[in-house]
Amino acid sequence: MSRRRGIMSEHFKEELAKELGFYDKVKEKGWGEITANEAGSMVKRAVQIAEESLTGDRT
């Protein structure tokens, strides 16, 4: 069975974690230690960034 590739690059996830304030936790303990709320915040922000890039509305 092949391993599924992630949609977000590692770099992008790290940048989101930094922006959202929990990168230190990821760096120390790994992605498996983030909470469901933190993961949800990452997805929400990634969608927001994607929508902004489609509309050209960079803020």
Side-chain angles (χ1 to χ4, degrees), residues 2-56:
S2 67
R3 187 173 178 191
R4 186 173 177 208
R5 294 182 84 173
I7 294 173
M8 288 190 262
S9 72
E10 193 71 18
H11 177 73
F12 185 57
K13 291 191 303 188
E14 289 172 357
E15 290 301 315
L16 289 173
K18 287 175 187 176
E19 180 179 326
L20 297 169
F22 56 88
Y23 178 70
D24 287 340
K25 180 196 295 189
V26 171
K27 194 167 81 172
E28 291 175 23
K29 300 179 182 180
W31 289 108
E33 295 298 315
I34 66 170
T35 66
N37 283 340
E38 290 166 336
S41 294
M42 285 181 65
V43 172
K44 183 177 179 180
R45 181 65 181 128
V47 168
Q48 184 180 31
I49 290 169
E51 288 174 342
E52 289 170 359
S53 72
L54 289 175
T55 63

